[in-house]
Amino acid sequence: MAAKGYIETDRQVQSLLEDVRSGIFKPIYLLMGPEPYYPDMLCSAIEENCLQEWERDFNQLVCYGGEVDAEKVITAARRFPMMAERQLVVLKEAQQMKSLEDLSFYCENPLDSTVLVILMHGASADKRRSLYKSVLKNGVVVDSQQLRDYEIPRWIEDYYHGRSLEIDPDAAVLLAEYAGSDLGKIAVETEKLLKNLPEGCRNVRIADIEKNVGMSRQFSIFELTKALSMKDAAQAFKIAEYMGSGARFMLQMVMGALHTHFMKLIRYGLLLRSPDAHDPKAKAAALQGVNPYYYREYDTAVRNYPPEKCLRIMNLLADYDFKGKGDGGEATQGELLTELVGKILVI
């Protein structure tokens, strides 16, 4: 999702969570999208808050798309609650149900006394078809899209801020590199981290990530791109050799970050040749997702890698991406990374 998209999704889900915890429910929830963090979180909150513990035996049904059909779900949803204000029907892994679209017959005229949750894991309903349209009309749809790599550090900063914490920009970058785009993993690592921070500590620094998450900035893709930007060959090779020596290292683990980095340099380099070269807003757009704290690094990098060189590097990345997927001959994944770093440095 675009930066604006994930912010809107987060606000939507936070608002829905507030309602759910206050006992306010929609008749239908369609929770979908390739990023499962928000759908799973909202579904769990509904299960936790919809019914009292003693009401659940007769008024809660949790089923799975691979085990039921639409008729069974609709029959359950049309029942009336027993000795309770409402009943809850949760359909998990809904994308596995072949007759999923048939739920639109119920969603066109849902019961006020039933809360129906349709949870799709890593998948989405067709927005052109009846199910999506009927839920949009009579319930709520949460469409949780995957964040781009460059959006993850900003998401982490927002996530920590929402928990009354602050995380330094370089610490957010390192955590993003460790967790990738898995928001659930970021949340889990944050819980572990908080248990080990000194009591009352509200500011997370890079040393906290290195100590508690177990990842060193010194040998990270974050530092590799920095070394390449500065044309620091000794440091770049040192990092590449360390990263490549890991038992589970795959070249694809760094390709996305390198591609994103040099694409930013292309945009920034072209901006500097335009009439808007000194416009702060244009600079922020060209370096989207980069904290201003790191602008100085990009000023150096763009001098070392003007757009023409970056285009050659993009072709090089494509070649090594192909090699890393099995056409690298006898070279190991780590050796391919070292080769790639060497070729980038001499362009």
Side-chain angles (χ1 to χ4, degrees):
M1 65 186 83
K4 183 179 179 182
Y6 89 72
I7 291 171
E8 290 178 347
T9 300
D10 186 80
R11 287 174 179 168
Q12 179 196 21
V13 171
Q14 295 305 325
S15 176
L16 290 169
L17 286 172
E18 186 176 336
D19 284 348
V20 163
R21 290 163 184 159
S22 300
I24 302 170
F25 297 90
K26 304 291 185 181
I28 319 163
Y29 296 84
L30 174 57
L31 311 179
M32 66 182 201
E35 170 49 63
Y37 175 74
Y38 287 110
D40 286 350
M41 179 168 61
L42 183 54
C43 182
S44 295
I46 293 170
E47 289 183 273
E48 183 178 342
N49 291 277
C50 188
L51 298 170
Q52 299 293 327
E53 184 71 36
W54 58 270
E55 296 175 320
R56 291 174 185 168
D57 287 345
F58 296 105
N59 296 289
Q60 179 168 304
L61 171 67
V62 178
C63 52
Y64 294 83
E67 301 172 358
V68 296
D69 57 20
E71 183 179 356
K72 181 173 181 178
V73 176
I74 291 172
T75 298
R78 284 180 173 162
R79 295 188 186 123
F80 289 97
M82 294 181 63
M83 297 178 290
E85 181 182 348
R86 65 180 72 91
Q87 68 156 344
L88 173 64
V89 178
V90 181
L91 173 62
K92 297 185 176 182
E93 301 289 348
Q95 74 281 355
Q96 295 182 4
M97 193 168 78
K98 294 180 180 179
S99 55
L100 178 63
E101 189 62 29
D102 291 345
L103 292 180
S104 62
F105 295 113
Y106 171 80
C107 296
E108 283 291 343
N109 189 27
L111 293 183
D112 291 336
S113 57
T114 294
V115 176
L116 171 62
V117 180
I118 304 168
L119 177 64
M120 304 182 74
H121 187 82
S124 298
D126 190 333
K127 296 180 180 180
R128 300 167 298 181
R129 303 193 67 185
S130 298
L131 176 61
Y132 176 86
K133 292 178 180 179
S134 59
V135 176
L136 198 62
K137 181 173 67 175
N138 296 312
V140 63
V141 176
V142 173
D143 186 4
S144 180
Q145 295 299 308
Q146 197 86 34
L147 272 71
R148 299 180 180 91
D149 290 342
Y150 69 81
E151 295 174 330
I152 299 297
R154 169 66 186 280
W155 186 89
I156 292 173
E157 291 184 47
D158 290 342
Y159 176 70
Y160 273 62
H161 184 71
R163 303 197 60 174
S164 300
L165 297 166
E166 297 296 330
I167 182 169
D168 290 351
D170 50 358
V173 169
L174 188 62
L175 180 56
E177 184 181 328
Y178 172 77
S181 59
D182 187 339
L183 304 187
K185 185 175 182 180
I186 292 169
V188 168
E189 291 300 331
T190 297
E191 290 302 320
K192 293 179 184 177
L193 176 65
L194 294 179
K195 292 177 182 177
N196 293 307
L197 287 177
E199 187 176 352
C201 177
R202 312 308 295 171
N203 195 315
V204 177
R205 304 185 184 279
I206 199 161
D208 298 314
I209 301 297
E210 291 176 323
K211 179 180 178 181
N212 296 291
V213 176
M215 184 176 185
S216 173
R217 170 181 58 173
Q218 183 181 2
F219 298 110
S220 69
I221 185 61
F222 174 76
E223 289 299 312
L224 178 60
T225 56
K226 181 177 179 180
L228 289 172
S229 294
M230 303 302 169
K231 289 273 189 178
D232 185 345
Q235 183 68 359
F237 280 122
K238 182 179 179 181
I239 296 169
E241 289 171 7
Y242 179 88
M243 293 177 68
S245 66
R248 298 182 181 180
F249 175 77
M250 297 294 290
L251 189 60
Q252 278 65 43
M253 293 167 63
V254 303
M255 296 304 289
L258 290 174
H259 183 276
T260 298
H261 181 70
F262 285 102
M263 277 301 298
K264 287 176 184 174
L265 290 183
I266 290 174
R267 291 196 298 268
Y268 189 34
L270 293 175
L271 170 67
L272 294 179
R273 297 176 182 179
S274 75
D276 296 325
H278 301 293
D279 182 352
K281 291 183 179 179
K283 184 172 184 175
L287 296 177
Q288 187 177 29
V290 176
N291 191 292
Y293 180 83
Y294 298 108
Y295 279 176
R296 186 172 297 178
E297 176 188 328
Y298 279 83
D299 289 333
T300 300
V302 80
R303 290 194 293 271
N304 288 329
Y305 301 99
E308 294 78 12
K309 286 189 176 183
C310 288
L311 288 173
R312 290 166 59 190
I313 290 172
M314 298 301 282
N315 289 331
L316 193 61
L317 293 178
D319 289 342
Y320 273 79
D321 184 57
F322 185 69
K323 290 180 180 181
K325 292 175 180 175
D327 196 41
E330 298 296 321
T332 66
Q333 295 283 304
E335 289 169 343
L336 288 173
L337 176 60
T338 301
E339 285 180 18
L340 174 61
V341 165
K343 291 184 178 181
I344 289 174
L345 287 166
V346 298
I347 281 181

